[in-house]
Amino acid sequence: MVRTSSYEEFATPKFLSSLFVKHGLISSILLVLVLTMFLLIIPRDTANYADPHNFYNYISHNALVILFGCAFIWMIVSIIKSCVRFRNHICEADERIFSLPALKRAAHEAFSLKYLHGNIKTGCTYPEDDISPWRRYFHHATFYGFMLCFAATASGTILHYFFNMHAPYDFVSIPKLLGTSGGVLLAIGTAGLFVLKLKANPEIRDIRQLGMDYAFIGLLFLAAVTGLILMLLRETEALPTLLAVHLSVILTLFITMPFSKFVHGFYRFIALSKNATEDLKHSK
């Protein structure tokens, strides 16, 4: 309940925050459908039509750069504004919480998911009353799967602009290997988190939280699965539709990230840094 309230309270812009937090699942589904229809009807770039399996036959590289560039900038600006609001809410105006020692400790606790360990001292009673490490395992799979997918995109960008090597890439290429392993990890992690949510004690469920939380997990799962299917069926007639669906899911992820559980990771890191600063101060 507290986490869901933080999404709505600190996320910007406010009107979209209320929309996605309260109706996240429906809004995300509608956005994917609208974007898919848009990508299917935009004019095709016939310059590369000699190769029917080239993605750029169905949407040009420039169009992709514009669409995803705008969505990425929107996401970054919105998340930064939200984090500034959250930091100002939990800290005094002149309080400094981002010293190097505090950041190192916060990073270690965040990347190791210290407070999701399956033991008595730092364990998590989720989805039921018994201490279990599975939530931590699935969070790790989701996070590192997402990072591998991001690395795949970054490596593809480097190959395109600096080495004049254009997509689609061979399976043994760096982007494909990173993307495939990341997609598998992401699919496993999100599927596991979804199952845990279904098994969770009803007393700790917040029906408002289920909308955006389920939407975010579902979008991550769809991004991974549609990407893997697209790779397997690239040389079939289903390519244009699969490409449109996959790109629409990714765009929807970018647009809704500032209002989803994704931004909770940034809030959590800020809170961990503040906690580390206070502990280090008291230990002196």
Side-chain angles (χ1 to χ4, degrees), residues 173-224:
S173 64
I174 293 177
K176 272 289 174 60
L177 292 174
L178 290 173
T180 302
S181 56
V184 171
L185 268 180
L186 190 56
I188 293 172
T190 50
L193 290 174
F194 184 82
V195 171
L196 289 183
K197 280 189 173 294
L198 292 179
K199 293 173 62 178
N201 189 328
E203 293 181 0
I204 65 173
R205 282 191 201 157
D206 171 18
I207 191 63
R208 291 176 60 217
Q209 182 178 326
L210 297 186
M212 201 60 236
D213 270 13
Y214 277 154
F216 181 62
I217 293 174
L219 286 171
L220 283 175
F221 178 80
L222 285 176

